[in-house]
Amino acid sequence: MTKLIYEKSTPGRRAVLLPASGVFEKPLTDLLPEKFVRKAAPALPEVSELEAVRHFVNLSRLNHSIDTGFYPLGSCTMKYNPKVNDAMASLEGFRELHPYQPEEQVQGALEVIHTLQELIGEITGLPAVSLQAAAGAQGELLGLMLIKAYFQSKGEHEKRRKVIVPDTAHGTNPASAAMAGYEVVEIGSSSRGLVDLDALKAALGPDTAAIMLTNPSTLGLFEEEILSVQKLVHEAGGLLYYDGANLNAIMGLVRPGDMGFDVCHLNLHKSFSTPHGGGGPGGCAVACRPHLEPFLPVPHVTKKENRYTLDWDRPQSVGKVKGFYGNFGILVRALTYILAHGREGLTQVSRDAILSANYLKEHLKVAYKLPYQQPCMHEFVLSGVWQKERGCGTTVIAKRMLDYGVHSPTVYFPLVVPEAMMIEPTETESLQTLDEFLEIMMRIDRETKENPDIVRNAPHKTPVGRLDEALAARKPNLRWKPL
Ligand SMILES: *Cc1c(COP(=O)(O)O)cnc(C)c1O
């Protein structure tokens, strides 16, 4: 077991010794009010610089990351994040900016935001864009706030209180609708895993504010009846929200705006390749039709006579949803990604993502149950029910994958598939990596027949083995005490 850095501490050992300060005549502690002065030195670990470096580098090597191994975590788009994005975001002119600098000093940064807004407008077919939200779920909330503000402005909010969400939607969709104060109406899906039009018709009415559609759905399936869905919802006077978090499934191929949607969000930290997985920072674009534009957050970056300005004068705006103008470094990375790929490149991204997923799906369906047979988009969902009959359900298959050095897929989601394994290879993996993964999955399936115990007791090679997950969640032991 790795020692904590406190356990490596040796009294008196130091990394960097600073010379005495020449600025103050008295010790700094004499200048502070008595009650703020420490009575005892803080209990910090005492280690040399080399010990500190080794400690943290070794810890970092215990992590699985996209830079160290295959990471097919469905719906999360764990693809390669080109290092040039980071190089651009750390250019001095961007890095040294202060968010309160006057507009005339930050024209370049405002141009970055404005250019990205325009490009996202092109990519989605929805011309009015805000980049303020910091995560997909926050973008969903903002989108619903726009819808609510729109109906309020028309005096219809009181009667339109329901948001329809199919059971194949991402879990954040119903949560965001509830956060925005709406009543969530769940509708089931057809035998092919698509929106059930009869269920939709039955749910629609004069009380419908919107439908939130994840497309492709969490089954990785494109909604074939999307134009009928659009027509039905608009005829009922509702609006359509498109969850485009996983835009690498459709980018350059189809656009939410052309499908008739009113508002959508894109996760910049998925399709547009900014790093994620450690909880942020993220970035989100919310794009909408002109009738929702007046409600977008302030300040909105606009261009007037070749100057970029922060427009606060938007009386119908829903206000601010985040400090300043969004996560600027993420916006620089996303713009770099889009410009580096260009129109053809972005389309190729989607084609490759779809091809990789279908390649894996077609090979794996002989060993793992595939509940929905039609071609998938950027991901697909298998069911571990055959392996479960041999006493090796999805939980242990996922843990066994760790022994072979790959990250597990998203498991037990979506809920409509028992023993679900949601696999998203992404477009950045080579054919060799995909083949290695197939080999691992086939080997694990053989193990469930020939040596099920090795699967049941996995993982065997990770730094930490089986944890009592319930105990860890209910009674987390987070405090280190000296031995
Ligand atoms: C990831 C994801 C979200 C949520 O995005 P966060 O940035 O994690 O809040 C929403 N919808 C879909 C389809 C997603 O894949």
Side-chain angles (χ1 to χ4, degrees):
M1 202 47 195
T2 314
K3 281 187 178 173
L4 299 178
I5 194 161
Y6 290 92
E7 292 163 317
K8 295 179 180 168
S9 180
T10 306
R13 194 163 289 169
R14 290 287 178 272
V16 184
L17 286 176
L18 297 177
S21 164
V23 179
F24 300 105
E25 283 174 11
K26 290 194 218 164
L28 212 49
T29 44
D30 289 2
L31 303 171
L32 291 171
E34 176 69 24
K35 63 177 176 181
F36 294 133
V37 178
R38 278 182 185 282
K39 303 291 172 288
L44 296 175
E46 298 175 79
V47 293
S48 71
E49 184 169 327
L50 177 58
E51 284 170 323
V53 168
R54 278 199 188 137
H55 180 76
F56 289 108
V57 171
N58 282 324
L59 278 184
S60 78
R61 298 205 303 194
L62 301 179
N63 277 340
H64 190 90
S65 72
I66 180 65
D67 286 353
T68 54
F70 187 47
Y71 208 138
L73 187 65
S75 204
C76 293
T77 313
M78 303 307 288
K79 68 183 189 182
Y80 178 61
N81 308 127
K83 301 300 168 223
V84 65
N85 295 352
D86 297 331
M88 291 305 110
S90 52
L91 287 176
E92 196 183 352
F94 292 140
R95 198 182 61 218
E96 304 280 308
L97 286 180
H98 192 282
Y100 282 139
Q101 259 170 273
E103 264 171 37
E104 52 276 19
Q105 291 179 7
V106 294
Q107 284 294 303
L110 296 180
E111 185 178 355
V112 164
I113 296 178
H114 192 264
T115 309
L116 186 56
Q117 286 173 184
E118 303 257 286
L119 291 172
I120 298 283
E122 272 290 305
I123 289 169
T124 56
L126 294 166
V129 177
S130 167
L131 300 170
Q132 205 176 87
Q138 197 188 15
E140 291 170 25
L141 180 63
L142 171 55
L144 289 160
M145 286 162 71
L146 301 179
I147 290 172
K148 191 169 167 181
Y150 170 76
F151 283 125
Q152 274 166 341
S153 77
K154 296 197 353 162
E156 287 183 37
H157 174 61
E158 288 315 316
K159 68 176 206 218
R160 294 196 180 270
R161 302 310 294 260
K162 292 188 180 166
V163 169
I164 299 170
V165 184
D167 62 2
T168 52
H170 193 270
T172 49
N173 292 183
S176 300
M179 279 275 281
Y182 282 109
E183 188 184 323
V184 178
V185 182
E186 184 180 286
I187 57 167
S189 31
S190 69
S191 57
R192 298 183 68 235
L194 304 174
V195 170
D196 182 341
L197 285 187
D198 290 331
L200 175 62
K201 281 181 205 156
L204 280 170
D207 55 357
T208 303
I211 184 171
M212 289 186 88
L213 204 69
T214 304
N215 190 34
S217 70
T218 55
L219 293 168
L221 303 176
F222 190 86
E223 292 293 349
E224 293 164 11
E225 303 281 1
I226 193 121
L227 297 178
S228 310
V229 170
Q230 186 270 125
K231 204 156 159 278
L232 287 169
V233 176
H234 275 152
E235 276 169 8
L239 297 184
L240 288 104
Y241 185 96
Y242 194 105
D243 181 336
N246 307 123
L247 208 77
N248 57 332
I250 61 160
M251 193 160 56
L253 302 174
V254 282
R255 307 192 302 172
D258 298 341
M259 293 178 235
F261 278 71
D262 298 283
V263 52
C264 84
H265 87 268
L266 318 180
N267 279 28
L268 299 179
H269 52 277
K270 288 181 182 169
S271 312
F272 298 93
S273 86
T274 67
H276 62 298
C284 181
V286 172
C288 61
R289 284 190 192 289
H291 60 270
L292 295 176
E293 181 170 10
F295 311 106
L296 285 177
V298 282
H300 193 72
V301 179
T302 45
K303 189 175 180 185
K304 286 186 191 132
E305 293 150 15
N306 281 332
R307 266 188 89 255
Y308 298 95
T309 63
L310 292 165
D311 183 6
W312 290 87
D313 185 20
R314 299 170 82 89
Q316 288 184 288
S317 164
V318 295
K320 274 171 93 47
V321 294
K322 182 173 183 314
F324 307 116
Y325 329 106
N327 276 327
F328 181 68
I330 299 297
L331 306 183
V332 176
R333 287 173 174 86
L335 179 62
T336 307
Y337 182 78
I338 292 173
L339 294 178
H341 281 74
R343 189 184 291 263
E344 279 76 33
L346 293 182
T347 311
Q348 193 63 42
V349 160
S350 305
R351 292 190 190 287
D352 291 347
I354 295 168
L355 185 62
S356 300
N358 280 284
Y359 178 76
L360 291 186
K361 170 175 74 67
E362 287 304 303
H363 281 86
L364 288 173
K365 73 179 186 187
V366 291
Y368 296 84
K369 184 174 178 188
L370 176 69
Y372 301 100
Q373 298 297 321
Q374 66 264 47
C376 65
M377 300 299 282
H378 65 303
E379 68 189 1
F380 59 101
V381 180
L382 296 175
S383 168
V385 284
W386 296 342
Q387 287 73 17
K388 185 162 181 161
E389 282 168 15
R390 304 193 278 270
C392 300
T394 287
T395 308
V396 293
I397 293 172
K399 291 190 190 300
R400 184 63 177 148
M401 286 186 208
L402 305 177
D403 284 336
Y404 290 111
V406 297
H407 197 283
S408 312
T410 297
V411 295
Y412 295 98
F413 189 81
L415 303 175
V416 292
V417 174
E419 300 295 311
M421 281 182 259
M422 187 197 219
I423 299 176
E424 180 183 12
T426 84
E427 70 279 3
T428 55
E429 299 296 338
S430 67
L431 184 58
Q432 286 79 4
T433 303
L434 299 183
D435 284 338
E436 278 163 27
F437 177 66
L438 288 176
E439 172 58 35
I440 291 167
M441 292 299 283
M442 292 305 176
R443 196 181 307 170
I444 294 174
D445 175 57
R446 279 199 304 278
E447 286 174 347
T448 65
K449 296 171 189 155
E450 294 161 8
N451 188 4
D453 276 345
I454 201 163
V455 182
R456 275 178 216 141
N457 299 323
H460 305 276
K461 294 188 181 162
T462 51
V464 183
R466 283 297 181 95
L467 297 173
D468 183 336
E469 286 156 13
L471 193 66
R474 298 280 166 236
K475 290 189 180 169
N477 177 6
L478 303 173
R479 185 171 288 239
W480 176 79
K481 294 188 201 78
L483 299 171

